[in-house]
Amino acid sequence: MLFRSINPRCPQSNHPDNGSQAHCAACGSSLLLQGRYRVMRLISQQTGFGEIYEAYDQNVPKILKVLKQSYNRNQKVVDLFQREAQVLSHLSHPGVPRVEPRGYFHYFPQGSTEPCHCLVMEKIDGPNLKQWMVQQGNHPISEKQAILWLTQLTDVLHLIHRQNYFHRDIKPDNIMLRSSGQLVLVDFGAAREMTQTYLAQLGDSGITTVSSAGYTPPEQEQGQAVPQSDFYAMGRTLIYLITARAPNDPAIYDSRTNQFNWRDRKSTRLNSSHTVISYAVFCLK
């Protein structure tokens, strides 16, 4: 079994001798993080500020997020990365990934005085909803499925908001599906705490804005996101699931008039008078 170095300057991070020793054969960096985590493979480098790895704590698979080194001196980005660990370590719910109190840590590669910012969390045993839709042939979901998922997401948001946090980046890519059928909201890097200081700064340039085309509410684009903004993004996510089209798709959305014409695109298994449809419309008001 080969282990991988996360040293960004390593010339061969997956060296063939890395399975038989404690340090990388190419760069000399420790292959055991925090005395317990061994990195197996790189999963993705296309996730905004971080790189995603699969790691193991003995025989238990984990997800390791490492802040890209190019952002190490960008304090706003570092703050966002640290906030994800802070938020998740305070939440206990099957709808959010588990993070241990010391899940966030610094790792120093061999010969480096600059740390790697690391976050270890539970690995969810399933795809995100964007991947799931592709796997299912991009068919709209049924009324029963829509109601179940809407209920699960609302329950997760209730927990998060009750802790005075809000997510700010709800979209199909950031919602994963456990093998048990439970939805899990992931990527809390954009989450904010609702404090008096935050409220006083609404609209100021000091607030880092996060935008995902088709899902981000207008007030968030202007740096004025509030907990209710999460429901707008959830409503647009629901429209995607029941139509199998992105909410900014010209087939269902007219950008000139800011009008949705998606009812004819919904699943034939979905009753247009049902609560699910009403709720999606409500979220967009």
Side-chain angles (χ1 to χ4, degrees), residues 128-130 132-134 136-151 153 172 175 177 183 234-245 262 265-271 276-277 280:
N128 65 44
L129 290 189
K130 188 68 175 292
W132 183 86
M133 288 287 282
V134 172
Q136 302 300 312
N138 281 317
H139 296 301
I141 65 173
S142 68
E143 178 180 289
K144 181 179 179 181
Q145 192 77 68
I147 295 171
L148 174 62
W149 283 355
L150 176 61
T151 302
L153 288 174
I175 303 170
L177 180 63
L183 290 184
M234 186 172 70
R236 289 216 164 185
T237 297
L238 189 63
I239 286 178
Y240 164 73
L241 294 171
I242 63 180
T243 63
R245 289 183 178 273
W262 49 268
R265 301 282 181 175
K266 68 181 186 302
S267 168
T268 56
R269 298 173 290 169
L270 213 65
N271 184 337
V276 148
I277 304 296

mmCIF file of all heavy atoms in Angstrom, residues 128-130 132-134 136-151 153 172 175 177 183 234-245 262 265-271 276-277 280:
data_model
loop_
_atom_site.group_PDB
_atom_site.id
_atom_site.type_symbol
_atom_site.label_atom_id
_atom_site.label_comp_id
_atom_site.label_asym_id
_atom_site.label_seq_id
_atom_site.Cartn_x
_atom_site.Cartn_y
_atom_site.Cartn_z
ATOM 1 N N ASN A 128 -22.230 13.436 -4.615
ATOM 2 C CA ASN A 128 -23.024 14.645 -4.407
ATOM 3 C C ASN A 128 -24.230 14.598 -5.352
ATOM 4 O O ASN A 128 -24.312 13.739 -6.246
ATOM 5 C CB ASN A 128 -22.182 15.918 -4.577
ATOM 6 C CG ASN A 128 -21.667 16.120 -6.001
ATOM 7 O OD1 ASN A 128 -22.387 15.948 -6.988
ATOM 8 N ND2 ASN A 128 -20.401 16.500 -6.128
ATOM 9 N N LEU A 129 -25.182 15.507 -5.171
ATOM 10 C CA LEU A 129 -26.424 15.418 -5.935
ATOM 11 C C LEU A 129 -26.228 15.708 -7.419
ATOM 12 O O LEU A 129 -26.989 15.202 -8.251
ATOM 13 C CB LEU A 129 -27.475 16.363 -5.348
ATOM 14 C CG LEU A 129 -28.031 15.963 -3.979
ATOM 15 C CD1 LEU A 129 -29.210 16.852 -3.595
ATOM 16 C CD2 LEU A 129 -28.448 14.487 -3.956
ATOM 17 N N LYS A 130 -25.216 16.485 -7.758
ATOM 18 C CA LYS A 130 -24.930 16.717 -9.177
ATOM 19 C C LYS A 130 -24.460 15.410 -9.810
ATOM 20 O O LYS A 130 -24.914 15.033 -10.904
ATOM 21 C CB LYS A 130 -23.861 17.801 -9.311
ATOM 22 C CG LYS A 130 -23.611 18.280 -10.739
ATOM 23 C CD LYS A 130 -24.803 19.036 -11.287
ATOM 24 C CE LYS A 130 -24.515 19.630 -12.658
ATOM 25 N NZ LYS A 130 -23.509 20.725 -12.606
ATOM 26 N N TRP A 132 -25.050 12.406 -8.607
ATOM 27 C CA TRP A 132 -26.146 11.447 -8.518
ATOM 28 C C TRP A 132 -27.123 11.623 -9.680
ATOM 29 O O TRP A 132 -27.588 10.641 -10.265
ATOM 30 C CB TRP A 132 -26.867 11.611 -7.188
ATOM 31 C CG TRP A 132 -27.969 10.623 -6.962
ATOM 32 C CD1 TRP A 132 -27.852 9.362 -6.432
ATOM 33 C CD2 TRP A 132 -29.357 10.797 -7.273
ATOM 34 N NE1 TRP A 132 -29.085 8.756 -6.382
ATOM 35 C CE2 TRP A 132 -30.027 9.612 -6.899
ATOM 36 C CE3 TRP A 132 -30.095 11.849 -7.813
ATOM 37 C CZ2 TRP A 132 -31.396 9.447 -7.055
ATOM 38 C CZ3 TRP A 132 -31.467 11.686 -7.973
ATOM 39 C CH2 TRP A 132 -32.105 10.493 -7.596
ATOM 40 N N MET A 133 -27.419 12.871 -10.019
ATOM 41 C CA MET A 133 -28.335 13.128 -11.131
ATOM 42 C C MET A 133 -27.767 12.582 -12.441
ATOM 43 O O MET A 133 -28.494 11.994 -13.250
ATOM 44 C CB MET A 133 -28.613 14.627 -11.251
ATOM 45 C CG MET A 133 -29.502 15.187 -10.147
ATOM 46 S SD MET A 133 -31.243 14.699 -10.291
ATOM 47 C CE MET A 133 -31.797 15.828 -11.584
ATOM 48 N N VAL A 134 -26.470 12.753 -12.651
ATOM 49 C CA VAL A 134 -25.821 12.223 -13.859
ATOM 50 C C VAL A 134 -25.908 10.697 -13.864
ATOM 51 O O VAL A 134 -26.239 10.078 -14.894
ATOM 52 C CB VAL A 134 -24.357 12.690 -13.933
ATOM 53 C CG1 VAL A 134 -23.632 11.979 -15.079
ATOM 54 C CG2 VAL A 134 -24.284 14.204 -14.118
ATOM 55 N N GLN A 136 -28.144 8.893 -12.571
ATOM 56 C CA GLN A 136 -29.526 8.482 -12.789
ATOM 57 C C GLN A 136 -30.047 8.861 -14.178
ATOM 58 O O GLN A 136 -31.248 8.726 -14.451
ATOM 59 C CB GLN A 136 -30.435 9.112 -11.729
ATOM 60 C CG GLN A 136 -30.053 8.774 -10.297
ATOM 61 C CD GLN A 136 -30.084 7.292 -10.016
ATOM 62 O OE1 GLN A 136 -31.040 6.611 -10.358
ATOM 63 N NE2 GLN A 136 -29.032 6.786 -9.395
ATOM 64 N N GLY A 137 -29.151 9.347 -15.033
ATOM 65 C CA GLY A 137 -29.547 9.703 -16.389
ATOM 66 C C GLY A 137 -30.173 11.071 -16.498
ATOM 67 O O GLY A 137 -30.868 11.382 -17.468
ATOM 68 N N ASN A 138 -29.923 11.952 -15.512
ATOM 69 C CA ASN A 138 -30.459 13.318 -15.504
ATOM 70 C C ASN A 138 -31.983 13.346 -15.644
ATOM 71 O O ASN A 138 -32.542 14.155 -16.395
ATOM 72 C CB ASN A 138 -29.807 14.174 -16.591
ATOM 73 C CG ASN A 138 -28.430 14.666 -16.187
ATOM 74 O OD1 ASN A 138 -28.221 15.090 -15.051
ATOM 75 N ND2 ASN A 138 -27.486 14.599 -17.109
ATOM 76 N N HIS A 139 -32.648 12.479 -14.900
ATOM 77 C CA HIS A 139 -34.110 12.484 -14.862
ATOM 78 C C HIS A 139 -34.593 13.266 -13.646
ATOM 79 O O HIS A 139 -34.011 13.152 -12.562
ATOM 80 C CB HIS A 139 -34.653 11.055 -14.788
ATOM 81 C CG HIS A 139 -34.328 10.220 -15.992
ATOM 82 N ND1 HIS A 139 -34.732 10.567 -17.265
ATOM 83 C CD2 HIS A 139 -33.616 9.060 -16.116
ATOM 84 C CE1 HIS A 139 -34.302 9.652 -18.127
ATOM 85 N NE2 HIS A 139 -33.617 8.733 -17.454
ATOM 86 N N PRO A 140 -35.654 14.057 -13.780
ATOM 87 C CA PRO A 140 -36.205 14.772 -12.621
ATOM 88 C C PRO A 140 -36.608 13.791 -11.525
ATOM 89 O O PRO A 140 -37.057 12.677 -11.806
ATOM 90 C CB PRO A 140 -37.427 15.495 -13.202
ATOM 91 C CG PRO A 140 -37.148 15.610 -14.667
ATOM 92 C CD PRO A 140 -36.386 14.363 -15.029
ATOM 93 N N ILE A 141 -36.455 14.215 -10.283
ATOM 94 C CA ILE A 141 -36.812 13.337 -9.173
ATOM 95 C C ILE A 141 -38.328 13.326 -8.967
ATOM 96 O O ILE A 141 -39.047 14.213 -9.426
ATOM 97 C CB ILE A 141 -36.107 13.747 -7.865
ATOM 98 C CG1 ILE A 141 -36.578 15.126 -7.393
ATOM 99 C CG2 ILE A 141 -34.598 13.719 -8.040
ATOM 100 C CD1 ILE A 141 -36.039 15.517 -6.022
ATOM 101 N N SER A 142 -38.812 12.332 -8.248
ATOM 102 C CA SER A 142 -40.240 12.183 -7.999
ATOM 103 C C SER A 142 -40.694 13.086 -6.859
ATOM 104 O O SER A 142 -39.880 13.641 -6.114
ATOM 105 C CB SER A 142 -40.555 10.733 -7.629
ATOM 106 O OG SER A 142 -39.977 10.420 -6.361
ATOM 107 N N GLU A 143 -42.001 13.215 -6.704
ATOM 108 C CA GLU A 143 -42.573 14.006 -5.624
ATOM 109 C C GLU A 143 -42.151 13.452 -4.264
ATOM 110 O O GLU A 143 -41.765 14.203 -3.353
ATOM 111 C CB GLU A 143 -44.097 14.005 -5.735
ATOM 112 C CG GLU A 143 -44.806 14.771 -4.632
ATOM 113 C CD GLU A 143 -46.311 14.727 -4.817
ATOM 114 O OE1 GLU A 143 -46.812 15.375 -5.752
ATOM 115 O OE2 GLU A 143 -46.967 14.033 -4.036
ATOM 116 N N LYS A 144 -42.199 12.131 -4.116
ATOM 117 C CA LYS A 144 -41.832 11.501 -2.855
ATOM 118 C C LYS A 144 -40.387 11.808 -2.498
ATOM 119 O O LYS A 144 -40.069 12.132 -1.345
ATOM 120 C CB LYS A 144 -42.045 9.987 -2.955
ATOM 121 C CG LYS A 144 -41.712 9.235 -1.673
ATOM 122 C CD LYS A 144 -41.968 7.733 -1.848
ATOM 123 C CE LYS A 144 -41.621 6.970 -0.563
ATOM 124 N NZ LYS A 144 -41.856 5.499 -0.735
ATOM 125 N N GLN A 145 -39.498 11.722 -3.483
ATOM 126 C CA GLN A 145 -38.084 12.010 -3.248
ATOM 127 C C GLN A 145 -37.882 13.479 -2.906
ATOM 128 O O GLN A 145 -37.096 13.822 -2.010
ATOM 129 C CB GLN A 145 -37.276 11.662 -4.495
ATOM 130 C CG GLN A 145 -35.769 11.654 -4.275
ATOM 131 C CD GLN A 145 -35.293 10.416 -3.554
ATOM 132 O OE1 GLN A 145 -35.335 9.330 -4.090
ATOM 133 N NE2 GLN A 145 -34.847 10.570 -2.321
ATOM 134 N N ALA A 146 -38.581 14.351 -3.610
ATOM 135 C CA ALA A 146 -38.443 15.789 -3.374
ATOM 136 C C ALA A 146 -38.863 16.155 -1.957
ATOM 137 O O ALA A 146 -38.191 16.941 -1.277
ATOM 138 C CB ALA A 146 -39.276 16.569 -4.393
ATOM 139 N N ILE A 147 -39.972 15.586 -1.485
ATOM 140 C CA ILE A 147 -40.457 15.874 -0.136
ATOM 141 C C ILE A 147 -39.472 15.368 0.909
ATOM 142 O O ILE A 147 -39.161 16.059 1.890
ATOM 143 C CB ILE A 147 -41.844 15.246 0.090
ATOM 144 C CG1 ILE A 147 -42.869 15.901 -0.833
ATOM 145 C CG2 ILE A 147 -42.284 15.399 1.547
ATOM 146 C CD1 ILE A 147 -44.206 15.190 -0.838
ATOM 147 N N LEU A 148 -38.940 14.156 0.698
ATOM 148 C CA LEU A 148 -37.987 13.587 1.644
ATOM 149 C C LEU A 148 -36.732 14.442 1.739
ATOM 150 O O LEU A 148 -36.273 14.786 2.840
ATOM 151 C CB LEU A 148 -37.613 12.166 1.210
ATOM 152 C CG LEU A 148 -36.513 11.480 2.032
ATOM 153 C CD1 LEU A 148 -36.939 11.313 3.482
ATOM 154 C CD2 LEU A 148 -36.148 10.138 1.406
ATOM 155 N N TRP A 149 -36.171 14.806 0.595
ATOM 156 C CA TRP A 149 -34.939 15.590 0.606
ATOM 157 C C TRP A 149 -35.172 17.003 1.122
ATOM 158 O O TRP A 149 -34.319 17.561 1.814
ATOM 159 C CB TRP A 149 -34.335 15.599 -0.799
ATOM 160 C CG TRP A 149 -33.641 14.305 -1.115
ATOM 161 C CD1 TRP A 149 -33.445 13.248 -0.271
ATOM 162 C CD2 TRP A 149 -33.045 13.938 -2.360
ATOM 163 N NE1 TRP A 149 -32.757 12.249 -0.904
ATOM 164 C CE2 TRP A 149 -32.502 12.626 -2.183
ATOM 165 C CE3 TRP A 149 -32.919 14.556 -3.596
ATOM 166 C CZ2 TRP A 149 -31.834 11.966 -3.211
ATOM 167 C CZ3 TRP A 149 -32.252 13.891 -4.624
ATOM 168 C CH2 TRP A 149 -31.722 12.608 -4.427
ATOM 169 N N LEU A 150 -36.310 17.581 0.787
ATOM 170 C CA LEU A 150 -36.636 18.912 1.291
ATOM 171 C C LEU A 150 -36.708 18.892 2.816
ATOM 172 O O LEU A 150 -36.190 19.780 3.496
ATOM 173 C CB LEU A 150 -37.967 19.378 0.708
ATOM 174 C CG LEU A 150 -38.507 20.724 1.196
ATOM 175 C CD1 LEU A 150 -37.540 21.843 0.856
ATOM 176 C CD2 LEU A 150 -39.869 20.992 0.587
ATOM 177 N N THR A 151 -37.331 17.862 3.361
ATOM 178 C CA THR A 151 -37.446 17.722 4.813
ATOM 179 C C THR A 151 -36.075 17.571 5.461
ATOM 180 O O THR A 151 -35.778 18.201 6.490
ATOM 181 C CB THR A 151 -38.326 16.505 5.163
ATOM 182 O OG1 THR A 151 -39.611 16.664 4.562
ATOM 183 C CG2 THR A 151 -38.500 16.373 6.674
ATOM 184 N N LEU A 153 -33.074 18.531 4.281
ATOM 185 C CA LEU A 153 -32.284 19.755 4.174
ATOM 186 C C LEU A 153 -32.780 20.830 5.128
ATOM 187 O O LEU A 153 -31.990 21.561 5.740
ATOM 188 C CB LEU A 153 -32.314 20.276 2.732
ATOM 189 C CG LEU A 153 -31.506 19.477 1.714
ATOM 190 C CD1 LEU A 153 -31.743 20.002 0.309
ATOM 191 C CD2 LEU A 153 -30.014 19.518 2.050
ATOM 192 N N PRO A 172 -26.285 21.771 -5.580
ATOM 193 C CA PRO A 172 -26.200 20.307 -5.704
ATOM 194 C C PRO A 172 -24.807 19.740 -5.454
ATOM 195 O O PRO A 172 -24.671 18.659 -4.880
ATOM 196 C CB PRO A 172 -26.659 20.051 -7.141
ATOM 197 C CG PRO A 172 -27.561 21.206 -7.446
ATOM 198 C CD PRO A 172 -26.959 22.381 -6.747
ATOM 199 N N ILE A 175 -24.110 19.063 -1.677
ATOM 200 C CA ILE A 175 -25.023 18.189 -0.945
ATOM 201 C C ILE A 175 -24.705 16.758 -1.357
ATOM 202 O O ILE A 175 -24.807 16.418 -2.537
ATOM 203 C CB ILE A 175 -26.494 18.513 -1.253
ATOM 204 C CG1 ILE A 175 -26.799 19.970 -0.927
ATOM 205 C CG2 ILE A 175 -27.429 17.591 -0.464
ATOM 206 C CD1 ILE A 175 -28.151 20.443 -1.431
ATOM 207 N N LEU A 177 -25.017 12.388 -0.731
ATOM 208 C CA LEU A 177 -26.028 11.385 -0.402
ATOM 209 C C LEU A 177 -25.370 10.152 0.208
ATOM 210 O O LEU A 177 -24.603 9.459 -0.455
ATOM 211 C CB LEU A 177 -26.800 10.994 -1.666
ATOM 212 C CG LEU A 177 -27.911 9.959 -1.512
ATOM 213 C CD1 LEU A 177 -29.016 10.484 -0.604
ATOM 214 C CD2 LEU A 177 -28.478 9.588 -2.881
ATOM 215 N N LEU A 183 -29.257 12.908 3.235
ATOM 216 C CA LEU A 183 -28.495 13.968 2.591
ATOM 217 C C LEU A 183 -27.538 14.596 3.596
ATOM 218 O O LEU A 183 -27.848 14.729 4.788
ATOM 219 C CB LEU A 183 -29.425 15.054 2.050
ATOM 220 C CG LEU A 183 -30.300 14.692 0.850
ATOM 221 C CD1 LEU A 183 -31.092 15.911 0.393
ATOM 222 C CD2 LEU A 183 -29.465 14.146 -0.307
ATOM 223 N N MET A 234 -31.556 26.851 -1.448
ATOM 224 C CA MET A 234 -32.164 25.524 -1.376
ATOM 225 C C MET A 234 -33.345 25.430 -2.340
ATOM 226 O O MET A 234 -33.557 24.392 -2.982
ATOM 227 C CB MET A 234 -32.627 25.224 0.048
ATOM 228 C CG MET A 234 -33.145 23.793 0.221
ATOM 229 S SD MET A 234 -33.469 23.349 1.949
ATOM 230 C CE MET A 234 -34.911 24.350 2.288
ATOM 231 N N GLY A 235 -34.118 26.506 -2.462
ATOM 232 C CA GLY A 235 -35.227 26.514 -3.413
ATOM 233 C C GLY A 235 -34.749 26.332 -4.840
ATOM 234 O O GLY A 235 -35.347 25.589 -5.622
ATOM 235 N N ARG A 236 -33.662 26.991 -5.187
ATOM 236 C CA ARG A 236 -33.118 26.837 -6.548
ATOM 237 C C ARG A 236 -32.530 25.437 -6.761
ATOM 238 O O ARG A 236 -32.602 24.890 -7.857
ATOM 239 C CB ARG A 236 -32.071 27.912 -6.804
ATOM 240 C CG ARG A 236 -32.672 29.306 -6.945
ATOM 241 C CD ARG A 236 -31.953 30.123 -7.954
ATOM 242 N NE ARG A 236 -32.717 31.299 -8.369
ATOM 243 C CZ ARG A 236 -32.329 32.122 -9.330
ATOM 244 N NH1 ARG A 236 -31.210 31.874 -9.982
ATOM 245 N NH2 ARG A 236 -33.064 33.156 -9.657
ATOM 246 N N THR A 237 -31.969 24.879 -5.707
ATOM 247 C CA THR A 237 -31.490 23.501 -5.790
ATOM 248 C C THR A 237 -32.653 22.558 -6.045
ATOM 249 O O THR A 237 -32.552 21.614 -6.849
ATOM 250 C CB THR A 237 -30.767 23.103 -4.486
ATOM 251 O OG1 THR A 237 -29.610 23.933 -4.322
ATOM 252 C CG2 THR A 237 -30.336 21.647 -4.517
ATOM 253 N N LEU A 238 -33.768 22.813 -5.388
ATOM 254 C CA LEU A 238 -34.955 21.986 -5.575
ATOM 255 C C LEU A 238 -35.476 22.074 -7.011
ATOM 256 O O LEU A 238 -35.878 21.067 -7.604
ATOM 257 C CB LEU A 238 -36.044 22.423 -4.596
ATOM 258 C CG LEU A 238 -37.286 21.533 -4.515
ATOM 259 C CD1 LEU A 238 -36.923 20.145 -4.025
ATOM 260 C CD2 LEU A 238 -38.333 22.157 -3.616
ATOM 261 N N ILE A 239 -35.456 23.277 -7.581
ATOM 262 C CA ILE A 239 -35.871 23.438 -8.975
ATOM 263 C C ILE A 239 -34.992 22.597 -9.900
ATOM 264 O O ILE A 239 -35.474 21.962 -10.846
ATOM 265 C CB ILE A 239 -35.838 24.923 -9.383
ATOM 266 C CG1 ILE A 239 -37.023 25.661 -8.749
ATOM 267 C CG2 ILE A 239 -35.866 25.085 -10.902
ATOM 268 C CD1 ILE A 239 -37.057 27.140 -9.039
ATOM 269 N N TYR A 240 -33.681 22.588 -9.627
ATOM 270 C CA TYR A 240 -32.776 21.755 -10.426
ATOM 271 C C TYR A 240 -33.167 20.282 -10.321
ATOM 272 O O TYR A 240 -33.211 19.565 -11.333
ATOM 273 C CB TYR A 240 -31.333 21.955 -9.956
ATOM 274 C CG TYR A 240 -30.379 20.883 -10.432
ATOM 275 C CD1 TYR A 240 -29.977 20.826 -11.765
ATOM 276 C CD2 TYR A 240 -29.895 19.916 -9.551
ATOM 277 C CE1 TYR A 240 -29.108 19.828 -12.209
ATOM 278 C CE2 TYR A 240 -29.034 18.920 -9.984
ATOM 279 C CZ TYR A 240 -28.649 18.879 -11.315
ATOM 280 O OH TYR A 240 -27.795 17.889 -11.750
ATOM 281 N N LEU A 241 -33.476 19.821 -9.115
ATOM 282 C CA LEU A 241 -33.777 18.413 -8.907
ATOM 283 C C LEU A 241 -35.090 17.989 -9.555
ATOM 284 O O LEU A 241 -35.217 16.866 -10.041
ATOM 285 C CB LEU A 241 -33.815 18.106 -7.406
ATOM 286 C CG LEU A 241 -32.478 18.244 -6.662
ATOM 287 C CD1 LEU A 241 -32.699 18.129 -5.150
ATOM 288 C CD2 LEU A 241 -31.473 17.211 -7.144
ATOM 289 N N ILE A 242 -36.089 18.878 -9.569
ATOM 290 C CA ILE A 242 -37.393 18.495 -10.114
ATOM 291 C C ILE A 242 -37.538 18.798 -11.601
ATOM 292 O O ILE A 242 -38.542 18.416 -12.215
ATOM 293 C CB ILE A 242 -38.552 19.136 -9.321
ATOM 294 C CG1 ILE A 242 -38.510 20.656 -9.420
ATOM 295 C CG2 ILE A 242 -38.540 18.684 -7.877
ATOM 296 C CD1 ILE A 242 -39.630 21.358 -8.655
ATOM 297 N N THR A 243 -36.522 19.485 -12.174
ATOM 298 C CA THR A 243 -36.564 19.746 -13.615
ATOM 299 C C THR A 243 -35.365 19.139 -14.343
ATOM 300 O O THR A 243 -35.389 19.013 -15.570
ATOM 301 C CB THR A 243 -36.563 21.262 -13.907
ATOM 302 O OG1 THR A 243 -35.336 21.838 -13.437
ATOM 303 C CG2 THR A 243 -37.754 21.943 -13.244
ATOM 304 N N ALA A 244 -34.309 18.797 -13.592
ATOM 305 C CA ALA A 244 -33.050 18.299 -14.166
ATOM 306 C C ALA A 244 -32.387 19.359 -15.053
ATOM 307 O O ALA A 244 -31.656 19.032 -15.981
ATOM 308 C CB ALA A 244 -33.262 17.009 -14.950
ATOM 309 N N ARG A 245 -32.653 20.617 -14.740
ATOM 310 C CA ARG A 245 -32.018 21.729 -15.456
ATOM 311 C C ARG A 245 -31.481 22.732 -14.449
ATOM 312 O O ARG A 245 -32.130 22.997 -13.425
ATOM 313 C CB ARG A 245 -33.003 22.422 -16.399
ATOM 314 C CG ARG A 245 -33.371 21.591 -17.623
ATOM 315 C CD ARG A 245 -34.285 22.359 -18.558
ATOM 316 N NE ARG A 245 -34.600 21.593 -19.749
ATOM 317 C CZ ARG A 245 -33.868 21.577 -20.862
ATOM 318 N NH1 ARG A 245 -32.764 22.315 -20.930
ATOM 319 N NH2 ARG A 245 -34.220 20.851 -21.896
ATOM 320 N N TRP A 262 -40.605 27.018 -15.392
ATOM 321 C CA TRP A 262 -40.081 25.667 -15.233
ATOM 322 C C TRP A 262 -41.149 24.627 -14.957
ATOM 323 O O TRP A 262 -40.856 23.438 -14.898
ATOM 324 C CB TRP A 262 -39.044 25.635 -14.109
ATOM 325 C CG TRP A 262 -39.497 26.291 -12.839
ATOM 326 C CD1 TRP A 262 -39.292 27.582 -12.492
ATOM 327 C CD2 TRP A 262 -40.217 25.691 -11.771
ATOM 328 N NE1 TRP A 262 -39.830 27.830 -11.252
ATOM 329 C CE2 TRP A 262 -40.417 26.680 -10.791
ATOM 330 C CE3 TRP A 262 -40.720 24.411 -11.536
ATOM 331 C CZ2 TRP A 262 -41.085 26.437 -9.600
ATOM 332 C CZ3 TRP A 262 -41.395 24.165 -10.344
ATOM 333 C CH2 TRP A 262 -41.576 25.177 -9.392
ATOM 334 N N ARG A 265 -41.396 21.734 -17.172
ATOM 335 C CA ARG A 265 -40.197 20.896 -17.204
ATOM 336 C C ARG A 265 -40.134 19.946 -16.019
ATOM 337 O O ARG A 265 -39.237 19.118 -15.941
ATOM 338 C CB ARG A 265 -38.940 21.783 -17.178
ATOM 339 C CG ARG A 265 -38.860 22.748 -18.344
ATOM 340 C CD ARG A 265 -38.409 22.056 -19.601
ATOM 341 N NE ARG A 265 -38.310 22.985 -20.717
ATOM 342 C CZ ARG A 265 -37.854 22.662 -21.916
ATOM 343 N NH1 ARG A 265 -37.448 21.419 -22.136
ATOM 344 N NH2 ARG A 265 -37.810 23.541 -22.891
ATOM 345 N N LYS A 266 -41.038 20.090 -15.077
ATOM 346 C CA LYS A 266 -40.995 19.274 -13.867
ATOM 347 C C LYS A 266 -41.321 17.824 -14.196
ATOM 348 O O LYS A 266 -41.842 17.495 -15.258
ATOM 349 C CB LYS A 266 -41.988 19.803 -12.829
ATOM 350 C CG LYS A 266 -43.444 19.621 -13.216
ATOM 351 C CD LYS A 266 -44.370 20.173 -12.169
ATOM 352 C CE LYS A 266 -45.830 19.869 -12.489
ATOM 353 N NZ LYS A 266 -46.294 20.356 -13.754
ATOM 354 N N SER A 267 -41.037 16.951 -13.250
ATOM 355 C CA SER A 267 -41.327 15.536 -13.411
ATOM 356 C C SER A 267 -42.817 15.301 -13.572
ATOM 357 O O SER A 267 -43.635 15.956 -12.930
ATOM 358 C CB SER A 267 -40.802 14.761 -12.189
ATOM 359 O OG SER A 267 -41.299 13.450 -12.195
ATOM 360 N N THR A 268 -43.192 14.370 -14.453
ATOM 361 C CA THR A 268 -44.607 14.023 -14.605
ATOM 362 C C THR A 268 -45.133 13.344 -13.351
ATOM 363 O O THR A 268 -46.333 13.211 -13.163
ATOM 364 C CB THR A 268 -44.798 13.069 -15.799
ATOM 365 O OG1 THR A 268 -43.964 11.907 -15.606
ATOM 366 C CG2 THR A 268 -44.414 13.757 -17.094
ATOM 367 N N ARG A 269 -44.193 12.935 -12.451
ATOM 368 C CA ARG A 269 -44.595 12.302 -11.188
ATOM 369 C C ARG A 269 -44.791 13.341 -10.086
ATOM 370 O O ARG A 269 -45.012 13.017 -8.940
ATOM 371 C CB ARG A 269 -43.524 11.298 -10.755
ATOM 372 C CG ARG A 269 -43.320 10.157 -11.731
ATOM 373 C CD ARG A 269 -42.135 9.317 -11.322
ATOM 374 N NE ARG A 269 -40.891 10.035 -11.516
ATOM 375 C CZ ARG A 269 -39.713 9.629 -11.058
ATOM 376 N NH1 ARG A 269 -39.631 8.514 -10.368
ATOM 377 N NH2 ARG A 269 -38.619 10.321 -11.285
ATOM 378 N N LEU A 270 -44.708 14.648 -10.452
ATOM 379 C CA LEU A 270 -44.808 15.697 -9.462
ATOM 380 C C LEU A 270 -46.110 16.470 -9.655
ATOM 381 O O LEU A 270 -46.390 16.987 -10.727
ATOM 382 C CB LEU A 270 -43.617 16.659 -9.640
ATOM 383 C CG LEU A 270 -43.071 17.318 -8.397
ATOM 384 C CD1 LEU A 270 -42.477 16.267 -7.460
ATOM 385 C CD2 LEU A 270 -42.020 18.333 -8.756
ATOM 386 N N ASN A 271 -46.901 16.545 -8.615
ATOM 387 C CA ASN A 271 -48.163 17.278 -8.650
ATOM 388 C C ASN A 271 -47.875 18.764 -8.504
ATOM 389 O O ASN A 271 -47.331 19.201 -7.503
ATOM 390 C CB ASN A 271 -49.054 16.804 -7.490
ATOM 391 C CG ASN A 271 -50.426 17.453 -7.537
ATOM 392 O OD1 ASN A 271 -50.601 18.513 -8.115
ATOM 393 N ND2 ASN A 271 -51.380 16.791 -6.909
ATOM 394 N N VAL A 276 -44.263 20.893 -2.303
ATOM 395 C CA VAL A 276 -42.903 20.996 -2.842
ATOM 396 C C VAL A 276 -42.798 22.146 -3.838
ATOM 397 O O VAL A 276 -41.866 22.937 -3.806
ATOM 398 C CB VAL A 276 -42.505 19.659 -3.496
ATOM 399 C CG1 VAL A 276 -41.582 19.857 -4.661
ATOM 400 C CG2 VAL A 276 -41.803 18.777 -2.475
ATOM 401 N N ILE A 277 -43.742 22.250 -4.746
ATOM 402 C CA ILE A 277 -43.723 23.320 -5.724
ATOM 403 C C ILE A 277 -43.922 24.666 -5.041
ATOM 404 O O ILE A 277 -43.212 25.635 -5.315
ATOM 405 C CB ILE A 277 -44.826 23.113 -6.785
ATOM 406 C CG1 ILE A 277 -44.669 21.736 -7.443
ATOM 407 C CG2 ILE A 277 -44.797 24.201 -7.816
ATOM 408 C CD1 ILE A 277 -43.409 21.555 -8.219
ATOM 409 N N ALA A 280 -40.748 25.759 -3.288
ATOM 410 C CA ALA A 280 -39.705 26.232 -4.201
ATOM 411 C C ALA A 280 -39.995 27.667 -4.636
ATOM 412 O O ALA A 280 -39.104 28.500 -4.691
ATOM 413 C CB ALA A 280 -39.627 25.320 -5.425
#
